[in-house]
């Protein structure tokens, strides 16, 4: 298992299977599904009065991105990070100290100051990509009650935590040490713009100069056998932004007749607009015509990279270079990995009244990057208010949400000061808010999926704007679905005691259709059932629909009478408006390995003062 700083240091491990992880979001989304994404607090810390809990999770896991928006003129919060149920914080930091206080220092942590904007601003957006692992428990608090959007009222409350859980990682995870040496990570992140991120002892470089006539396509790199490609550079003579949509890149791996990668040039290098330079660690595009791409691409039976010119003018490329090696063949042969893919490119379009779908992926793998472009349709602007929503394996509550489009990339106040870049994210655009393009690279926080991934974004505050989106996703894996529904208890919840059925009619939190549904189940009841385990099942996942009117719901899960000690089934948040919520409990594989059948017990407890664990629907999935 590779996590935390190791994931940032060992970039050749990015393609390796990530089935040991699950991605999660906690943040300030509007509970009513509108645009009031500025209140961020779960509850007051019972042990530390005057501190408001922003994040609360049982481990093993790791915080991988922290972002918060606040006016410098508002009362400054101090964020405290508690680990392993300790009474004192291991680390605390003031809003103004991001980028300066170790280990939250440049470039792995920073702050962005937005414009004055006729007196509405400025806003200060702080961000950190410092990994903060925990074995048993982690809690993040603020000594300021984060709420409101208005600077004159001392507001500025919106923000989020992106984190991963590791169901089988209890023995492997080492808890966060604020004195850790992050110099090696900083050294790599400072190499943004370079194509030698993965060290090669015997690097080979293929370099060609090419001219593409209108309608012409050429294979610019072709090789048989097993290799790792890690570093592509391209120089486009007489650069113009229009070329980014008429030139396309395709890559064919392992003698495939269909390309695993197929993308317009701009999206491939992370910027569809090309108005200003943008650079992250993994890809970049400069308006002088130079571009680079660093996502590692291992393959076992050949690769071919093709460029096509669909425009009406001849295109000159004085440089197209590919850096590759065979020295890591044994590494990839002994560590299961996925081939790099793109989702089908989504061309510019408007989706009335629903999320714009940037990409849908079927199969098993992990998403590592998203490129999203927005176009305003006059008189409307390309609003920044739409939330990104990522649904994994059909779960109706998104695993990743966002408190605004720009907050997804840890920026804020719209996209008013293009361009902005850090090693993990960037954006380009125009200052009139009519166009923007953002990219978020998930270097250490990829989104694992076993069957499907659906990446959408709202058009404006609540899909009320007339605007268009385009974009693409990058992911590793293959098209084999490895998530299988083993049992569906809808209408027949396996309660092992008499109970009064509870019916709830509501809508799902962060659901773009807003259609009410009715579920009937139980609250505070023990569930128990036998489950046959198919051969080849590696991990078993329980998925429930819950009534989240009350927060801090907790249940312990037992397998064959043994309590899963690593963590419980815990939901700290609540929503009394959009009451329906779907979440999961992943059973660590040590409780199921080698068994043909298991008995599963879900027992609500009052560990956090609330025994009202809700189950309105229950499904069980197996992952091969």
């Amino acid at each position: 298992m590779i996590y935390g700083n190791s994931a940032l240091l060992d970039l050749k491990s990015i393609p390796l299977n990530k089935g040991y992880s699950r991605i999660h979001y906690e943040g300030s989304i509007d509970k009513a599904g509108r645009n009031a994404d500025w209140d961020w607090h779960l509850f007051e810390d019972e042990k530390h009065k005057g501190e408001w809990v922003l994040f609360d999770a049982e481990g093993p896991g790791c915080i991988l991105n922290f972002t918060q928006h606040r006016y410098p003129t508002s009362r400054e919060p101090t964020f405290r990070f508690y680990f392993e149920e300790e009474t004192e914080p291991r680390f605390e930091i003031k809003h103004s100290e991001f980028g300066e206080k170790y280990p939250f220092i440049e470039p792995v942590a920073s702050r962005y100051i937005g414009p004055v904007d006729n007196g509405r601003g400025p806003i200060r957006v702080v961000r950190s990509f410092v990994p903060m692992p925990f074995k048993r428990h982690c809690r993040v608090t603020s000594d300021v009650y984060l709420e409101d959007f208005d600077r004159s009222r001392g507001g500025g409350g919106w923000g989020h935590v992106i984190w991963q859980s590791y169901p089988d990682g209890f023995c492997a995870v080492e808890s966060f040490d604020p004195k850790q040496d992050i110099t090696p990570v900083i050294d790599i992140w400072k190499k943004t713009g370079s194509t030698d991120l993965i060290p090669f002892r015997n690097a080979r470089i293929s370099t060609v100069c090419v001219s593409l006539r209108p309608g012409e396509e050429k294979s610019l790199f072709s090789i048989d056998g097993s290799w790792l490609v890690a570093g592509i550079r391209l120089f486009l003579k007489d650069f113009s932004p229009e070329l980014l949509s008429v030139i396309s890149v395709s890559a064919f791996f392992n003698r495939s007749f269909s390309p695993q990668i197929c993308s317009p040039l701009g999206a491939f290098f992370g910027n569809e607009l090309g108005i200003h330079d943008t650079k992250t660690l993994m890809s970049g595009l400069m308006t002088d015509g130079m571009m680079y791409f660093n996502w590692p691409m291992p393959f076992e039976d050949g690769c071919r990279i093709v460029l096509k010119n669909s425009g009406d003018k001849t295109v000159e490329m004085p440089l197209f270079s590919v850096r590759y090696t065979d020295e890591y063949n044994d590494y990839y042969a002994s560590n299961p990995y996925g081939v790099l893919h793109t989702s089908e490119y989504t061309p510019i379009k408007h989706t009335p009244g629903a999320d714009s779908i940037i990409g849908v992926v079927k199969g098993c793998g992990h998403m590592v990057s998203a490129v999203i472009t927005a176009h305003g349709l006059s008189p409307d602007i390309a609003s920044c208010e739409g939330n990104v929503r990522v649904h994994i394996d059909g779960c109706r509550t998104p695993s990743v949400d966002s408190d605004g489009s720009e907050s997804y990339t840890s920026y804020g106040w719209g996209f008013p000061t293009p361009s902005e870049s850090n090693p993990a994210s960037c954006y380009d655009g125009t200052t009139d808010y009519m166009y923007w393009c953002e990219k978020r690279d998930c270097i250490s926080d990829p989104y694992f999926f076993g069957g499907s991934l659906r990446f959408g974004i709202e058009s404006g505050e609540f899909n009320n704007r007339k605007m268009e989106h385009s974009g693409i996703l990058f992911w590793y894996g293959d098209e084999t679905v490895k998530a299988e529904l083993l049992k569906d208890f809808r209408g027949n919840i396996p309660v092992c005691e008499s109970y009064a059925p509870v019916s709830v009619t509501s809508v799902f939190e962060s659901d773009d259709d807003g259609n009410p549904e009715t579920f009937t189940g139980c609250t505070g009841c023990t569930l128990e059932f036998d489950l046959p385990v198919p051969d080849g099942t590696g991990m078993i996942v329980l998925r429930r629909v819950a009534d989240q009117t009350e927060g801090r719901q907790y249940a312990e899960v037992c397998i064959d009478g043994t309590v899963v000690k690593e963590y419980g089934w815990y939901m700290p948040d609540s929503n009394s408006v959009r009451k329906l919520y779907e979440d999961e409990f992943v059973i660590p594989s040590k409780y199921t390995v080698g068994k043909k059948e298991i008995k599963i017990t879900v027992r609500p407890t009052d560990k956090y003062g609330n025994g009202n664990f809700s189950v309105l629907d229950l499904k069980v999935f197996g992952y091969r």
Side-chain angles (χ1 to χ4, degrees):
M1 189 180 89
I2 300 173
Y3 72 98
N5 286 345
S6 297
L8 294 176
L9 291 170
D10 188 6
L11 299 181
K12 73 178 184 300
S13 72
I14 290 174
L16 302 191
N17 293 354
K18 300 296 190 292
Y20 55 78
S21 67
R22 293 294 188 275
I23 195 72
H24 309 274
Y25 167 95
E26 185 64 71
S28 60
I29 58 169
D30 182 0
K31 301 300 186 181
R34 306 290 280 187
N35 191 46
D37 293 328
W38 47 71
D39 295 342
W40 189 15
H41 40 263
L42 298 173
F43 50 87
E44 187 176 12
D45 193 315
E46 62 275 7
K47 296 179 181 179
H48 305 91
K49 295 301 181 182
E51 293 185 29
W52 296 91
V53 176
L54 309 180
F55 170 79
D56 198 37
E58 294 194 347
C62 186
I63 293 175
L64 295 158
N65 173 227
F66 180 93
T67 298
Q68 206 276 318
H69 307 237
R70 188 79 174 163
Y71 301 103
T73 54
S74 298
R75 179 186 165 196
E76 182 177 23
T78 297
F79 303 115
R80 297 188 173 97
F81 296 79
Y82 296 86
F83 292 87
E84 319 309 350
E85 300 183 338
E86 295 167 351
T87 58
E88 297 298 322
R90 283 196 197 173
F91 181 69
E92 63 179 59
I93 185 169
K94 294 181 181 298
H95 206 270
S96 59
E97 294 176 327
F98 278 70
E100 298 178 358
K101 183 174 181 178
Y102 193 88
F104 280 32
I105 59 175
E106 296 277 3
V108 291
S110 189
R111 55 184 180 263
Y112 164 78
I113 306 295
V116 175
D117 195 12
N118 297 317
R120 287 202 313 138
I123 193 77
R124 180 169 57 207
V125 186
V126 299
R127 65 175 178 269
S128 169
F129 295 99
V130 176
M132 306 181 81
F134 52 97
K135 185 182 288 287
R136 290 190 178 276
H137 183 260
C138 180
R139 177 173 290 183
V140 182
T141 70
S142 165
D143 66 351
V144 174
Y145 189 79
L146 298 176
E147 62 177 343
D148 206 351
F149 67 94
D150 195 307
R151 183 176 67 87
S152 66
R153 296 195 294 260
W158 56 107
H160 65 255
V161 169
I162 301 291
W163 65 290
Q164 284 182 336
S165 59
Y166 309 118
D168 283 339
F170 185 78
C171 293
V173 169
E174 294 185 7
S175 194
F176 173 72
D177 178 2
K179 297 180 181 179
Q180 63 183 311
D181 182 12
I182 62 167
T183 303
V185 174
I186 290 173
D187 289 344
I188 287 182
W189 277 40
K190 284 184 175 180
K191 295 180 73 173
T192 294
S194 169
T195 53
D196 62 348
L197 302 181
I198 298 175
F200 288 1
R201 290 191 304 273
N202 57 340
R204 305 187 185 193
I205 298 178
S206 168
T207 302
V208 297
C209 173
V210 65
S211 175
L212 284 176
R213 297 187 301 273
E216 185 178 18
E217 70 175 36
K218 288 184 178 179
S219 177
L220 304 188
F221 177 78
S222 183
I223 194 169
D224 294 328
S226 301
W227 301 86
L228 167 66
V229 169
I232 296 174
R233 278 197 180 274
L234 180 153
F235 179 65
L236 196 61
K237 186 180 179 182
D238 299 325
F239 173 86
S240 68
E242 292 74 20
L243 295 176
L244 300 178
S245 60
V246 299
I247 301 172
S248 61
V249 180
S250 298
F252 302 77
F253 300 106
N254 302 326
R255 302 185 183 275
S256 173
F257 291 105
S258 300
Q260 283 90 349
I261 294 173
C262 186
S263 170
L265 190 71
F268 183 77
F269 289 104
N271 184 346
E272 293 199 79
L273 298 180
I275 302 170
H276 306 88
D277 297 354
T278 52
K279 295 195 300 182
T280 67
L281 188 66
M282 304 312 293
S283 65
L285 184 151
M286 278 64 73
T287 55
D288 64 1
M290 185 62 73
M291 308 170 199
Y292 64 90
F293 185 91
N294 283 327
W295 292 107
M297 295 180 283
F299 49 89
E300 60 183 24
D301 194 13
C303 169
R304 185 164 57 95
I305 301 176
V306 176
L307 266 66
K308 181 178 181 179
N309 178 12
S310 299
D312 56 7
K313 296 179 181 179
T314 297
V315 175
E316 302 290 341
M317 296 182 194
L319 173 69
F320 182 86
S321 70
V322 176
R323 180 175 177 264
Y324 64 104
T325 186
D326 61 357
E327 69 186 80
Y328 294 113
N329 285 0
D330 290 343
Y331 174 80
Y332 289 113
S334 58
N335 292 282
Y337 69 91
V339 168
L340 184 62
H341 292 69
T342 56
S343 61
E344 182 179 353
Y345 174 72
T346 297
I348 299 170
K349 66 179 181 180
H350 172 57
T351 306
D355 288 3
S356 296
I357 304 304
I358 301 302
V360 174
V361 178
K362 300 288 187 182
C364 180
H366 53 283
M367 193 202 90
V368 293
S369 186
V371 179
I372 312 163
T373 304
H375 305 253
L377 294 173
S378 185
D380 238 336
I381 62 171
S383 171
C384 67
E385 301 294 347
N387 291 356
V388 165
R389 300 195 276 220
V390 184
H391 295 262
I392 293 177
D393 294 341
C395 193
R396 282 166 285 190
T397 297
S399 298
V400 177
D401 210 319
S402 78
D403 39 294
S405 308
E406 78 282 53
S407 192
Y408 181 65
T409 48
S410 295
Y411 288 102
W413 216 241
F415 299 92
T417 55
S419 69
E420 298 288 346
S421 295
N422 67 72
S425 60
C426 63
Y427 76 79
D428 193 7
T430 56
T431 56
D432 61 1
Y433 297 95
M434 292 307 294
Y435 304 95
W436 55 260
C437 176
E438 67 175 340
K439 177 169 76 87
R440 169 70 154 86
D441 292 338
C442 307
I443 303 169
S444 64
D445 55 345
Y447 307 169
F448 168 78
F449 56 94
S452 66
L453 181 145
R454 175 182 182 263
F455 189 111
I457 184 171
E458 290 178 297
S459 291
E461 292 82 352
F462 42 90
N463 285 320
N464 58 320
R465 296 270 188 176
K466 190 176 182 181
M467 54 187 290
E468 299 174 319
H469 289 99
S470 60
I472 203 164
L473 311 177
F474 291 82
W475 63 282
Y476 289 92
D478 60 44
E479 296 178 350
T480 304
V481 174
K482 296 185 178 180
E484 177 186 2
L485 178 63
L486 302 181
K487 211 153 192 175
D488 187 345
F489 288 102
R490 179 97 187 240
N492 189 26
I493 305 297
V495 179
C496 56
E497 58 198 59
S498 60
Y499 71 101
V502 176
S503 290
V504 178
T505 300
S506 190
V507 298
F508 279 91
E509 183 176 283
S510 296
D511 190 0
D512 59 351
D513 63 25
N515 294 326
E517 296 186 50
T518 299
F519 290 85
T520 300
C522 62
T523 298
C525 300
T526 298
L527 279 58
E528 191 168 78
F529 58 95
D530 296 320
L531 179 76
V533 180
D535 291 341
T537 300
M539 195 167 286
I540 293 173
V541 177
L542 312 179
R543 182 187 294 174
R544 65 163 180 159
V545 172
D547 175 1
Q548 59 168 338
T549 301
E550 294 187 63
R552 309 197 75 186
Q553 299 181 24
Y554 191 93
E556 62 180 20
V557 177
C558 304
I559 308 300
D560 295 327
T562 299
V563 176
V564 175
K565 295 181 179 179
E566 289 81 352
Y567 50 86
W569 197 339
Y570 178 39
M571 183 181 73
D573 207 350
S574 63
N575 189 337
S576 60
V577 182
R578 292 190 161 213
K579 300 178 181 181
L580 298 180
Y581 187 88
E582 198 161 36
D583 70 345
E584 295 182 333
F585 182 90
V586 182
I587 301 173
S589 59
K590 76 175 189 179
Y591 295 93
T592 62
V593 65
K595 296 182 178 180
K596 297 293 185 181
E597 185 175 82
I598 57 175
K599 181 181 291 293
I600 299 174
T601 306
V602 179
R603 184 180 298 118
T605 76
D606 60 356
K607 179 175 181 177
Y608 295 113
N610 177 10
N612 293 327
F613 189 83
S614 168
V615 181
L616 302 175
D617 187 21
L618 183 66
K619 293 183 174 68
V620 186
F621 293 86
Y623 285 73
R624 291 180 281 114

